[in-house]
Amino acid sequence: MQDAITNIVNRYDLTGRYLDPKAISELTTYFDTGLTRIIIAELINRNAANIVQDAAKKLYAEQPELLRPGGNSYTTRRYAACLRDIEYYLRYASYALVAGNNNILEERVLDGLKDTYNSLQVPIAPTVRAINCLKEVILEQLDPIDQFLIEEPFKYITEGLS
Ligand code: PEB
């Protein structure tokens, strides 16, 4: 797993360079957003159950056919798997948010995920929609000026799945 700092340091170490103004500027950008990243992670921790529930509610209000016979969320087992998947997305997005780096999403979430979904016939488009619902529920609770921070990890997941 990488974070914003190890990412920069590793890059410079590879070529044996001191941290130049470009590196310092990248580090400053990360540190300047650090406190806000932590505040959002705290908000996610405090409201995780509600955020997951609201995102699922939103998804199923838009696509009720998922819950009917033939739908991929039909049966309590699959419905529970879906809520669990949404929870995974939220938890990993909060890690990437704090790390200021999406590498953990690649390593622990996206690697092989599309193949898994395809082999289980879990539909990708509604899954992407679920992830965006998750993001929208969080965005409603954030100051507009901080919203770009949470866009980053969710955008990375949805693009990786698409
Ligand atoms: C990914 N999801 C499922 C499985 C796996 C994942 C590996 C198969 C094994 C299992 O059921 O546990 N696991 C999940 C994930 C990580 C991980 C993200 C990351 C760390 O380890 N069905 C829908 C919705 C969508 C959905 C659109 C948003 O209709 C999800 C929720 N995922 C869904 C469902 C299953 C599943 C499994 C329904 C069960 C599929 C099945 O067994 O038929």
Side-chain angles (χ1 to χ4, degrees), residues 40 44 90 93-94 97 135 138-139 142 146-155:
I40 300 174
I44 290 174
L90 178 62
S94 79
L97 168 76
K135 182 185 75 179
I138 301 171
L139 285 178
L142 295 184
D146 300 331
Q147 291 186 346
F148 74 99
L149 290 171
I150 201 69
E151 300 272 2
E152 285 169 5
F154 284 112
K155 184 162 174 275

Side-chain angles (χ1 to χ4, degrees), residues 62-155:
E62 288 176 17
Q63 308 193 27
E65 66 281 4
L66 287 168
L67 292 168
R68 298 194 194 115
N72 194 262
S73 305
Y74 179 66
T75 76
T76 45
R77 182 187 64 81
R78 280 202 295 264
Y79 179 74
C82 188
L83 289 186
R84 182 217 50 202
D85 283 14
I86 295 177
E87 199 158 15
Y88 280 146
Y89 293 123
L90 178 62
R91 184 161 60 83
Y92 281 101
S94 79
Y95 295 161
L97 168 76
V98 166
N101 189 289
N102 293 320
N103 170 261
I104 192 166
L105 301 175
E106 195 60 57
E107 276 182 3
R108 312 255 176 98
V109 182
L110 291 170
D111 188 20
L113 183 61
K114 236 160 106 172
D115 293 336
T116 304
Y117 277 158
N118 285 335
S119 68
L120 289 167
Q121 288 164 348
V122 174
I124 303 284
T127 303
V128 167
R129 183 61 200 128
I131 297 163
N132 280 321
C133 289
L134 204 48
K135 182 185 75 179
E136 288 164 18
V137 169
I138 301 171
L139 285 178
E140 283 167 18
Q141 306 178 38
L142 295 184
D143 193 323
I145 207 169
D146 300 331
Q147 291 186 346
F148 74 99
L149 290 171
I150 201 69
E151 300 272 2
E152 285 169 5
F154 284 112
K155 184 162 174 275

Side-chain angles (χ1 to χ4, degrees), residues 16-30:
R17 286 175 296 159
Y18 287 99
L19 297 168
D20 61 15
K22 185 169 174 292
I24 299 297
S25 148
E26 283 178 39
L27 284 166
T28 307
T29 303
Y30 176 60

